[in-house]
Amino acid sequence: MEIRFLGGVREVGRSAILVNDRLLLDYGVKSGSPPQYPGDVDPEAVVVSHGHLDHVGAVPSLLSGDARPPIHWTPPTRELALVLARDTLQLHGGTLQCPFTETDVQRVTQVSETHGYREPFEAAGHEVTFFDAGHIPGSAHVLVDDGETRLLYTGDFHTADQQLVSGTTARPDADVVICESTYSDVDHADRATVEAQFIESVETTLWEGGTVVIPAFAIGRTQEMLLLCADHDVPCYVDGMGKRITKLLRRYPDYVRDADALRRAKSHARFVTGRDGQRKRIADRNAAIITTSGMLHGGPAMTYVPAVRSHPTNKITLTGYQVEGTPGRDLLETGSAEIDGRTMPVSAQVEQYDFSAHADRDGVLAFLESYRDSELLVGHGDRCEAFAEELRADGFEASAPELGDRWER
Ligand SMILES: [Zn+2]
């Protein structure tokens, strides 16, 4: 087997791995201005691990020429990829920020082939099997067998249960493992404790008569927040792309931990239409508002944050990692943020909670315990080399490939 690393190694973003020069695993975008893409590639078939931009964002561009490689994924990943592609088109269509056209996106639907977990299929001469990775609905570990070597590409994964999805339990045998390492030096606090602290904080603000704005990523995190609010009977609104994703995920009950709970959470929340100044009125209400974007660089959060910022009774609870240079990160560090081009001091309380959908250090190590006899290739992280070295010190055969590297055996 030969593996080429086209992106997503020694970095997070634009994941892309080419197997035996024929089979492409993921084809993502690294967000930023300008966004970065993996190198050009002409695969016979494509397999996508899950529906996040950094894994699927550039897939439609593979169809902009004459080639029509089939694209293999789980049903939710297909739907999420199409929503993301259309969102990218709407925001950036016709600019360098968007490497594909509406026609390319339509072609995606023509070459799409969906597969459930543990249902082996053939792709570019390989036997491929998906296993539930516990990251977001539809997320998969990808096992690739070329007849001689078995490669396990972990994709993004979580070992602990979340409200929306259960943690990964599958540990299929493999000769070589490409492992994500996003949080290889982080220990997440116990999830139940984080949830309890978060709910207590939200309830306190509501008792005091304030409004809580909960910026959340549309995919996964918004539903996680909806489930928590419903579970604790916290009055809540939901706004932004998370609304569409919530409706979409309701159609895939087999890919969430508790479909009934998600149905209840959806009916518990009020969906904001955004008509007639509705957002400004809601921002005065004694309720929680779950809204995109999770890092405050767009979406209806751009209306809610200015509306609640001046009053210290109000609260803004960030629910995920804030990338450096984003308004969310600035708000945490300086107490003010640039919203729609204006720097705004924020008197409302600002808090951050670690609702990660990735395994932490202990989780990754526990996962890799099943692969003591495999060769490990560490990627998808900011400290891949350091982590590979720690693994070697622990007796593993491990390395951290660089962009453009070839691995062969
Ligand atoms: Zn992901």
Side-chain angles (χ1 to χ4, degrees):
M1 180 176 283
E2 187 212 62
I3 303 172
R4 241 186 343 133
F5 296 91
L6 307 176
V9 283
R10 302 195 187 186
E11 66 180 346
V12 175
R14 58 168 175 175
S15 287
I17 294 156
L18 188 63
V19 180
N20 291 328
D21 233 11
R22 302 169 70 186
L23 180 66
L24 181 64
L25 309 179
D26 285 347
Y27 203 55
V29 175
K30 186 169 184 173
S31 304
S33 41
Q36 291 174 282
Y37 304 101
D40 277 342
V41 59
D42 185 18
E44 255 173 67
V46 186
V47 172
V48 179
S49 67
H50 68 285
H52 271 153
L53 265 186
D54 56 330
H55 293 259
V56 75
V59 161
S61 69
L62 295 167
L63 303 168
S64 57
D66 295 330
R68 296 288 176 268
I71 299 169
H72 302 273
W73 38 23
T74 63
T77 299
R78 173 193 189 273
E79 295 301 310
L80 294 171
L82 288 169
V83 170
L84 288 173
R86 298 208 162 103
D87 188 60
T88 305
L89 270 176
Q90 207 170 7
L91 287 173
H92 307 297
T95 73
L96 284 176
Q97 303 251 22
C98 183
F100 51 80
T101 65
E102 176 64 42
T103 311
D104 302 335
V105 176
Q106 279 163 16
R107 286 173 183 156
V108 169
T109 63
Q110 293 156 14
V111 298
S112 162
E113 295 183 27
T114 56
H115 312 273
Y117 296 132
R118 296 173 186 271
E119 294 170 5
F121 59 92
E122 192 274 336
H126 300 75
E127 185 182 89
V128 179
T129 316
F130 290 143
F131 296 89
D132 189 347
H135 174 57
I136 58 170
S139 65
H141 303 302
V142 182
L143 183 68
V144 178
D145 189 339
D146 68 359
E148 286 173 1
T149 306
R150 291 160 305 172
L151 159 68
L152 180 69
Y153 170 49
T154 66
D156 294 358
F157 67 93
H158 202 348
T159 43
D161 289 346
Q162 304 174 65
Q163 296 287 333
L164 185 61
V165 289
S166 304
T168 165
T169 53
R171 304 290 181 269
D173 284 344
D175 306 299
V176 53
V177 178
I178 301 174
C179 186
E180 74 126 317
S181 62
T182 319
Y183 290 119
S184 69
D185 61 346
V186 172
D187 292 316
H188 297 323
D190 170 61
R191 186 67 163 225
T193 309
V194 175
E195 291 176 357
Q197 288 167 345
F198 171 76
I199 286 296
E200 194 187 324
S201 173
V202 171
E203 286 179 333
T204 301
T205 296
L206 298 187
W207 286 328
E208 290 170 357
T211 305
V212 184
V213 175
I214 307 176
F217 307 127
I219 300 173
R221 199 64 41 85
T222 289
Q223 295 77 42
E224 197 76 12
M225 296 300 110
L226 286 171
L227 284 158
L228 277 178
C229 285
D231 212 21
H232 296 270
D233 210 19
V234 170
C236 71
Y237 292 88
V238 57
D239 203 351
M241 190 165 142
K243 286 183 297 183
R244 200 166 8 141
I245 303 294
T246 304
K247 289 177 188 159
L248 182 164
L249 292 178
R250 281 273 297 119
R251 300 203 304 272
Y252 296 95
D254 293 346
Y255 289 85
V256 299
R257 181 176 163 189
D258 183 343
D260 274 340
L262 185 59
R263 179 184 53 75
R264 287 195 300 272
K266 179 173 172 279
S267 52
H268 171 78
R270 277 164 283 186
F271 280 54
V272 179
T273 61
R275 278 194 291 269
D276 309 324
Q278 190 195 10
R279 289 187 176 119
K280 290 240 161 59
R281 287 199 305 278
I282 291 168
D284 272 340
R285 298 232 173 110
N286 200 213
I289 306 165
I290 302 161
T291 182
T292 47
S293 80
M295 296 191 248
L296 301 180
H297 46 24
M302 301 299 91
T303 307
Y304 295 120
V305 169
V308 304
R309 72 182 171 104
S310 312
H311 212 295
T313 316
N314 297 330
K315 196 174 275 173
I316 300 167
T317 59
L318 299 162
T319 57
Y321 181 73
Q322 304 293 309
V323 172
E324 214 170 303
T326 59
R329 179 73 164 258
D330 293 344
L331 180 59
L332 276 173
E333 287 178 350
T334 67
S336 71
E338 194 180 307
I339 304 285
D340 270 345
R342 271 180 62 208
T343 301
M344 295 184 181
V346 173
S347 315
Q349 302 160 65
V350 178
E351 296 176 349
Q352 185 182 30
Y353 293 87
D354 179 5
F355 284 109
S356 177
H358 291 266
D360 65 2
R361 181 182 177 84
D362 283 351
V364 173
L365 289 174
F367 182 93
L368 291 179
E369 219 24 72
S370 303
Y371 297 98
R372 282 245 164 229
D373 300 327
S374 313
E375 179 172 350
L376 308 182
L377 304 172
V378 176
H380 200 287
D382 295 325
R383 55 185 298 283
C384 297
E385 295 157 273
F387 187 50
E389 200 177 315
E390 290 158 16
L391 289 169
R392 285 196 297 275
D394 192 16
F396 286 96
E397 183 183 0
S399 59
E402 275 184 86
L403 201 63
D405 270 2
R406 247 169 229 277
W407 176 95
E408 224 171 328
R409 87 169 207 191

